């Protein structure tokens, strides 16, 4: 037993967790005794310190820092034996694993677990909203439901699941054996379950879970009960995870591309993750800071948001949205990348306007930082900020429009293969256009003053995050499922899943535009009689969406366990990840491939993207020109 | 676990070496990107400072309080000189002058620790607390955030110093000195910005 407690792993992680909590008592009690605070044992204070200390105890026990401790203390570091690499049993997914493919699966599965949790919370909300009046939960509990629903799905599902898919696919796509910093990669993954567990645990503390929405506006959040801090601190862990992964992606993309893979030969998924990672590295510190302010105000009595003492409450919203507007692109750009891959492969045509697709991603990155105050049109901020922000918001629709039209042009006269990934990709195109149009409407100050804080907003955000992001995620998961698991999913169940989701989604969120226009406020547990009919309809439709997710889960689990073996390249795709076996070999490539052409030359006779030969043996072809197919070795 | 290690022993050959597609070293680039995100977190704190001092137009420093500009100025000089000694240590290492390297690291570490000590001392004697006013909050917020970075930087320097005394690093391999060094220089430059905006302006 002692041996198990000393070796890195789950038993030691449990011990570390307990020690972290003990340490919090050991810190808080003497400090309170020193200052003469009464009572000596204060649950709030201990919990706050434990929220910070216990996760580090857990990570230390799990072994996330072991190598670095060796390094830092100057002891001879153990030669890399790749024992942290690869997975042969399910247990290997529950330890610090440095293999980007294992981490990719850890990320994806964990995020989907949180999707189910967040979805279940939505089902509870819709059950309460099915009729006017209060039926199942109290108003406070309802506030908790929608706050945790949004926080979980944003910070623990959409953002990390894209990181997970990219973690698996991106090194393969650029011909790298792994990510640039594999141990940092493992640490970024393990921060996630910590953040998610923390947010869910908030339901158990006295005063209930955090109930201030995912935006946690001050000073509402600085006066909220203890549960609020589970958000405030949980977000720090999710944010740290996302910054570390983004940094890792950027370094990997810049320094580890295969020979011949210039920036203009990178698949668009790589471009998308490059842009997203830039956004994450630059923007995420702002939400960290905004939550630090809340933490300092709430826990230590600082005055950042106390107007009597010179504090400024609107400052919270500025700092928060300076992250959280770019965050909507963090939640969308990787999806754009996935769709570019799928549409080109499934339409058997080169992507239309490859360079403009890449440039428009970068344009969104830059413009994304100039629009944050459009979330604050009704906040009472300085009026002169409004019109410039309205204009920049309208402008940001232009690069997005470039992408939409490029996808349409790619589809134009293509040979469409309407299987599940493609259906989700097309579903994304239509739904995202609707969400984008309501977004441009919401950019207009007169409109947003009318519909602010109504169900119109709820409809808009779900058209872009559900119809947009989630559809791309489903598309991506179906598309790379054969590569990740080595098995084929059930196509028939996949199509059933798509159609129920697609129709149920529209029936759920479409009517919200109408009742929003008529003035039904969001974030309320009860509503006027006149909205009763539509709300019942929406609730029933949302249950259909919930059930369709179960079909998806069944399909994934059953196919992973017993689906037919997948071939290396079932989609006849050109990008490098499809040129290795399914699932890929433990070190990705026996030999780093050489890239000789663009990634999307579908329908061009003899087009090749990468060849598995030594660089000297391959004559490089300029980008865009067709390379001759190498002879079979 | 056992199954995994057996499987590894069977087909253990290690990954193929990655192609280096950039002249920049991964470790260096990683640190630079990390510093970008650090700059942004300071940026958020400076946003708070801007909102309190400029947008709200609060008196700076708060009425009845004073900031020890001179002492902090001396402290600034201490931190800046620690950057110089760190550079000295690095160039000594590149000439394989081990004594200079070790002495430089020790002096750098001590200068950094002195800075932190004076900073904490300043908190004790400054006469206002973050709970008093928003100006106090952001004063402690900015200098405290910077102090936390000095602390992390000192930890990194400590690691380097320990390894220096254990005989690690040479003129051929000094990335482990360079990367923490960049971080320390960043902490230093950031202090000049904090000092200028909080104490002088």
């Amino acid at each position: 037993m002692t041996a198990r407690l000393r070796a890195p792993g789950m038993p030691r992680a449990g011990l570390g967790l307990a020690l972290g909590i003990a340490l919090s008592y050991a810190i808080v009690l003497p400090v309170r005794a020193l200052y003469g605070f009464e009572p000596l044992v204060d649950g709030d204070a201990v919990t706050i310190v434990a929220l910070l200390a216990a996760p580090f105890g857990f990570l230390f026990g799990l072994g996330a820092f072991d190598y670095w401790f060796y390094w830092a203390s100057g002891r001879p570091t153990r030669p890399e034996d790749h024992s942290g690499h690869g997975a042969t049993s399910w247990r290997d997914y529950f330890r610090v694993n440095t293999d980007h493919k294992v981490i990719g699966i850890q990320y994806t599965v964990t995020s989907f677990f949180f999707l189910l949790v967040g979805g279940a919370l939505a089902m509870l909300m819709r059950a309460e909203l099915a009729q006017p009046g209060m039926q199942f939960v109290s108003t406070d509990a309802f506030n908790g439901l929608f706050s945790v629903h949004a926080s979980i799905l944003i910070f623990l599902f959409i953002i990390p699941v894209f990181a997970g898919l990219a973690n698996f696919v991106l090194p393969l796509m650029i011909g790298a054996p792994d990510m640039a910093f594999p141990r940092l990669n493992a640490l970024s993954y393990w921060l996630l379950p910590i953040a998610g567990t923390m947010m869910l645990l908030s339901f158990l503390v006295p005063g209930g879970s955090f109930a201030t929405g995912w935006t946690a506006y001050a000073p509402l959040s600085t006066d909220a009960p203890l549960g609020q801090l589970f958000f405030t601190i949980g977000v720090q862990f999710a944010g740290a995870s996302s910054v570390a992964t983004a940094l890792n992606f950027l370094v990997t993309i810049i320094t580890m591309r295969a020979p011949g893979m210039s920036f203009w030969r990178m698949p668009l998924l790589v471009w998308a993750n490059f842009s997203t990672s830039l956004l994450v590295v630059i923007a995420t510190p702002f939400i960290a800071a905004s939550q630090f302010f809340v933490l300092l105000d709430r826990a230590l009595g600082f005055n950042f948001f106390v107007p009597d003492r010179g504090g400024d409450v609107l400052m919270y919203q500025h700092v928060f949205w300076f992250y959280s507007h770019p965050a909507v692109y963090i939640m969308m750009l990787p999806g754009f990348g996935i769709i570019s891959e799928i549409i080109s492969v499934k339409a058997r045509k080169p992507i239309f306007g490859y360079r403009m697709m890449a440039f428009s991603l970068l344009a969104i990155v830059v413009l994304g930082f100039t629009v944050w105050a459009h979330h604050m049109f009704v906040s009472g901020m300085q009026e002169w900020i409004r019109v410039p922000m309205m204009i920049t918001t309208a402008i940001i629709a232009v690069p997005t429009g470039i992408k939409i039209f490029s996808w349409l042009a790619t589809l134009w006269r293509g040979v469409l293969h309407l299987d599940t990934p493609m259906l989700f990709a097309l579903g994304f195109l239509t739904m995202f256009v609707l969400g984008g149009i309501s977004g441009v409407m919401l950019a207009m100050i007169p409109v947003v003053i009318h519909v602010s804080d109504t169900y119109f907003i709820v409809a808009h955000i779900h058209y872009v995050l559900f119809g947009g992001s989630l559809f791309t995620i489903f598309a991506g998961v179906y598309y790379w499922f054969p590569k990740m698991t080595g098995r084929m999913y059930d196509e028939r169940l996949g199509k059933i899943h798509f159609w129920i989701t697609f129709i149920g989604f529209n029936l759920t969120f479409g009517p919200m535009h109408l009742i929003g226009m008529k003035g039904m406020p969001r974030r309320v547990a009860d509503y006027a009689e006149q909205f009763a009919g539509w709300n019942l309809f929406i609730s029933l439709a949302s249950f259909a969406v919930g059930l369709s997710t179960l079909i998806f889960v069944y399909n994934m689990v059953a196919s992973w366990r017993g689906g037919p073996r997948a071939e290396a390249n079932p989609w006849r795709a050109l990008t490098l990840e499809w040129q290795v076996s399914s699932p890929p070999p433990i070190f990705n490539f026996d030999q780093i491939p050489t890239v000789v052409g663009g990634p999307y030359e579908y329908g061009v006779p003899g087009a090749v993207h990468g060849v598995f030969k030594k660089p000297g043996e391959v004559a490089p072809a300029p980008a865009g020109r067709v390379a001759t197919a190498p002879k079979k070795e | 676990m056992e199954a995994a290690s057996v499987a590894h022993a069977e087909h253990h050959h290690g990954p193929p070496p990655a192609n280096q597609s950039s002249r920049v070293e991964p470790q260096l680039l990683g640190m630079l990107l990390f510093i970008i995100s650090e700059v942004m977190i300071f940026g958020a704190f400076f946003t708070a400072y801007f909102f309190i001092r400029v947008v709200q137009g609060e008196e700076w420093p708060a009425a009845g309080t004073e900031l020890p500009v001179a002492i902090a100025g001396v402290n600034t000089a201490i931190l800046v000189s620690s950057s110089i000694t760190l550079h000295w240590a690095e160039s000594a290492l590149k000439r394989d002058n081990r004594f200079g390297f070790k002495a430089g690291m020790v002096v750098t570490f001590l200068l950094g620790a002195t800075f932190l000590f004076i900073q904490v001392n300043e908190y004790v004697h400054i006469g206002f607390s973050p709970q008093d006013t928003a100006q106090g909050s952001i004063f402690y917020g900015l200098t405290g955030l910077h102090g936390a970075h000095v602390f992390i930087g000192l930890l990194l320097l400590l690691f380097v110093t320990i390894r220096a005394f254990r005989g690690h690093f040479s003129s051929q391999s000094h990335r482990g000195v360079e990367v923490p060094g960049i971080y320390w220089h960043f902490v230093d430059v950031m202090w000049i910005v904090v000092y200028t905006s909080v104490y002088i302006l």
Side-chain angles (χ1 to χ4, degrees):
Chain A
M1 194 60 208
T2 43
R4 290 189 69 188
L5 281 178
R6 284 173 64 181
M10 277 296 169
R12 198 176 83 174
L15 184 68
L17 193 66
L19 285 178
I21 295 169
L23 179 70
S24 323
Y25 277 98
I27 293 172
V28 171
L29 297 190
V31 169
R32 290 184 75 84
L34 201 65
Y35 278 88
F37 288 159
E38 286 294 327
L40 192 60
V41 183
D42 179 69
D44 273 31
V46 174
T47 312
I48 293 167
V49 178
L51 281 175
L52 294 164
F56 283 102
F58 174 82
L59 288 171
F60 167 74
L62 200 63
F65 305 123
D66 278 23
Y67 180 89
W68 291 323
F69 283 145
Y70 266 89
W71 186 91
S73 63
R75 275 192 279 174
T77 45
R78 287 157 290 185
E80 182 60 80
D81 60 353
H82 308 293
S83 58
H85 209 87
T88 48
S89 94
W90 60 271
R91 285 196 191 87
D92 289 339
Y93 291 93
F94 288 87
R95 62 181 173 89
V96 176
N97 203 315
T98 53
D99 183 351
H100 76 94
K101 299 183 289 298
V102 176
I103 295 173
I105 289 174
Q106 285 177 322
Y107 253 112
T108 314
V109 173
T110 312
S111 320
F112 268 98
F113 167 75
F114 285 112
L115 169 72
L116 297 181
V117 174
L121 296 174
M123 296 295 101
L124 284 175
M125 270 188 278
R126 281 323 309 180
E128 172 60 47
L129 290 170
Q131 291 170 33
M134 305 302 298
Q135 289 88 34
F136 302 105
V137 294
S138 67
T139 45
D140 279 344
F142 185 85
N143 290 347
L145 285 180
F146 69 70
S147 304
V148 182
H149 164 78
S151 311
I152 287 279
L153 288 181
I154 288 172
F155 294 112
L156 275 306
F157 177 63
I158 297 182
I159 294 176
V161 79
F162 281 132
L165 285 172
N167 231 309
F168 193 99
V169 175
L170 191 143
L172 286 161
M173 266 188 170
I174 62 171
D178 204 322
M179 297 277 277
F181 307 120
R183 280 178 284 268
L184 182 66
N185 202 14
L187 177 63
S188 346
Y189 164 70
W190 280 104
L191 289 169
L192 263 198
I194 291 174
T197 313
M198 213 176 264
M199 287 187 190
L200 293 182
L201 276 181
S202 72
F203 279 110
L204 304 179
V205 296
S209 67
F210 53 95
T212 53
W214 77 280
T215 49
Y217 274 9
L220 184 61
S221 51
T222 55
D223 297 329
L226 184 61
Q228 183 63 41
L229 289 164
F230 285 69
F231 172 81
T232 308
I233 297 173
V235 165
Q236 304 289 15
F237 285 97
S241 158
S242 115
V243 172
T245 312
L247 190 153
N248 221 335
F249 281 147
L250 284 172
V251 176
T252 310
I253 294 170
I254 293 173
T255 66
M256 291 173 77
R257 279 167 290 126
M261 179 167 281
S262 63
F263 264 74
W264 295 117
R265 280 178 181 167
M266 293 197 309
L268 285 170
L269 182 82
V270 181
W271 266 109
N273 275 289
F274 182 81
S275 319
T276 310
S277 302
L278 280 177
L279 279 174
V280 171
V281 165
I282 297 171
T284 308
F286 264 70
I287 194 173
S290 73
Q291 299 311 313
F292 277 134
F293 298 150
V294 170
L295 182 64
L296 290 171
D297 266 24
R298 169 71 170 67
L300 296 177
F302 278 44
N303 301 308
F304 286 111
F305 308 120
V306 184
D308 296 349
R309 304 276 180 90
D312 190 335
V313 287
L314 275 184
M315 183 267 282
Y316 178 87
Q317 299 182 27
H318 281 290
V319 174
F320 178 83
W321 286 115
F322 193 77
Y323 161 74
S324 294
H325 193 81
V328 308
Y329 299 106
I330 293 170
M331 293 184 263
M332 205 56 257
L333 297 190
F336 288 169
I338 293 172
I339 294 307
S340 300
E341 298 298 323
I342 292 174
I343 283 191
S344 181
V345 171
K346 300 286 176 190
R348 310 309 301 169
K349 273 187 65 193
I351 198 88
F352 182 87
Y354 170 85
R355 289 198 180 205
M356 279 317 284
M357 290 293 251
F359 277 129
S360 60
L361 286 167
L362 295 177
I364 292 174
V365 169
V366 175
L367 287 171
F369 284 105
T370 63
V371 300
W372 77 91
H374 67 209
H375 295 274
M376 301 167 59
F377 281 155
V378 295
S379 69
M381 64 174 175
Q382 288 79 355
E383 270 180 37
W384 60 267
I385 309 179
R386 286 177 169 190
V387 172
M389 289 285 169
M390 175 173 101
I391 294 167
T392 50
T393 308
I395 290 174
I396 207 166
V398 174
T400 321
I402 291 176
K403 302 196 77 70
I404 299 281
F405 283 108
S406 293
W407 287 320
L408 290 178
T410 309
L411 292 173
W412 180 253
R413 306 183 80 173
V415 187
L416 303 191
H417 293 250
L418 288 175
D419 50 8
T420 314
M422 185 61 159
L423 285 175
F424 272 106
L426 296 178
F428 156 81
L429 260 184
T430 47
M431 293 303 101
F432 187 73
V433 166
L434 290 180
I437 289 172
S438 62
V440 176
M441 288 169 73
L442 288 174
M444 302 302 133
I445 298 164
V447 178
V448 79
I449 287 175
H450 178 62
V451 298
S452 191
D453 261 325
T454 67
Y455 263 71
F456 193 84
I457 307 283
V458 181
H460 163 69
I461 188 195
H462 284 93
Y463 265 84
V464 286
L465 287 186
F466 192 129
S469 305
L470 184 56
F471 276 28
T472 69
I473 291 163
F474 279 138
V477 167
Y478 280 114
Y479 181 69
W480 281 296
F481 185 83
K483 187 52 67 183
M484 293 174 98
T485 63
R487 307 269 187 171
M488 287 305 284
Y489 61 86
D490 187 329
E491 186 65 53
R492 199 171 56 91
L493 285 177
K495 281 183 178 151
I496 294 173
H497 170 220
F498 169 75
W499 284 112
I500 300 182
T501 308
F502 185 75
I503 295 168
F505 162 77
N506 277 297
L507 296 182
T508 305
F509 296 105
M512 287 187 184
H513 290 112
L514 301 175
I515 56 175
M517 277 292 182
K518 286 183 188 153
M520 174 160 164
R522 66 170 177 162
R523 292 178 167 172
V524 290
D526 193 8
Y527 49 86
E529 282 292 338
Q530 73 201 81
F531 302 121
W534 272 123
N535 269 293
L536 181 62
F537 180 81
I538 289 170
S539 287
L540 293 176
S542 75
F543 296 147
V545 177
L547 288 176
S548 76
T549 313
L550 297 182
I551 301 176
F552 167 76
V553 171
Y554 171 78
N555 191 359
M556 292 293 111
V557 172
S559 305
W560 199 340
R561 290 169 58 96
R565 298 271 172 200
E567 27 181 326
N569 193 356
W571 315 128
R572 295 183 294 132
L574 284 177
T575 44
L576 291 175
E577 84 273 24
W578 296 106
Q579 314 310 320
V580 294
S581 61
S582 299
I586 182 159
F587 294 118
N588 293 0
F589 305 101
D590 293 330
Q591 197 173 37
I592 298 298
T594 303
V595 174
V596 294
Y600 297 116
E601 308 286 326
Y602 298 104
V604 181
V608 179
H609 174 49
V611 291
F612 288 80
K613 275 184 169 183
K614 287 216 171 67
E617 301 167 22
V618 183
R625 228 180 56 205
V626 179
T628 44
K631 289 192 199 90
K632 274 263 161 72
E633 284 171 273
Chain B
M1 273 313 244
E2 286 79 12
S5 53
V6 170
H8 278 295
E10 279 166 10
H11 53 86
H12 175 257
H13 55 96
N19 178 49
Q20 256 226 311
S21 55
S22 164
R23 271 170 298 178
V24 189
E25 284 188 23
Q27 288 82 354
L28 206 61
L29 184 63
M31 182 48 90
L32 291 176
L33 290 167
F34 180 63
I35 286 176
I36 290 178
S37 81
E38 291 277 43
V39 168
M40 293 309 288
I41 204 160
F42 274 96
F45 274 73
F46 276 112
T47 310
Y49 164 83
F50 175 81
F51 268 88
I52 290 165
R53 185 168 173 181
V54 180
V55 178
Q56 292 279 61
E58 296 291 335
E59 198 180 335
W60 188 272
T65 61
E66 230 178 302
L67 296 175
V69 182
I71 296 176
V74 173
N75 218 7
T76 310
I78 291 174
L79 196 62
V80 172
S81 47
S82 81
S83 256
I84 297 169
T85 57
L86 179 64
H87 184 73
W88 174 50
E90 276 179 45
S91 43
L93 177 66
K94 282 178 191 164
R95 281 179 276 107
D96 268 328
N97 173 359
R98 289 217 65 93
F99 173 75
F101 171 48
K102 284 190 273 191
M105 287 313 300
V106 170
V107 172
T108 310
F109 180 81
L110 290 178
L111 284 171
T114 312
F115 172 87
L116 206 56
F117 176 77
I118 295 178
Q119 182 76 52
V120 172
N121 204 42
E122 186 182 309
Y123 286 167
V124 176
H125 296 290
I126 200 162
F128 63 87
S129 78
Q131 285 88 359
D132 295 345
T133 55
Q135 293 96 308
S137 299
I138 191 59
F139 171 81
Y140 278 88
L142 266 172
T143 55
L145 179 72
H146 181 266
H149 282 79
V150 173
F151 182 74
I152 302 285
L154 278 177
L155 275 183
L156 296 179
L157 289 182
L158 182 67
F159 298 155
V160 175
T161 314
I162 293 173
R163 283 161 57 88
F165 276 87
R166 289 197 173 202
H168 292 225
F169 308 122
S170 71
S171 58
Q172 300 310 312
S173 94
H174 45 74
R175 194 198 294 132
V177 186
E178 243 169 335
V179 173
I182 296 172
Y183 185 78
W184 188 254
H185 292 313
F186 152 73
V187 169
D188 195 353
V189 171
M190 199 36 103
W191 174 252
I192 295 173
V193 181
V194 172
Y195 177 69
T196 312
S197 48
V198 170
Y199 289 87
I200 295 182
L201 286 179

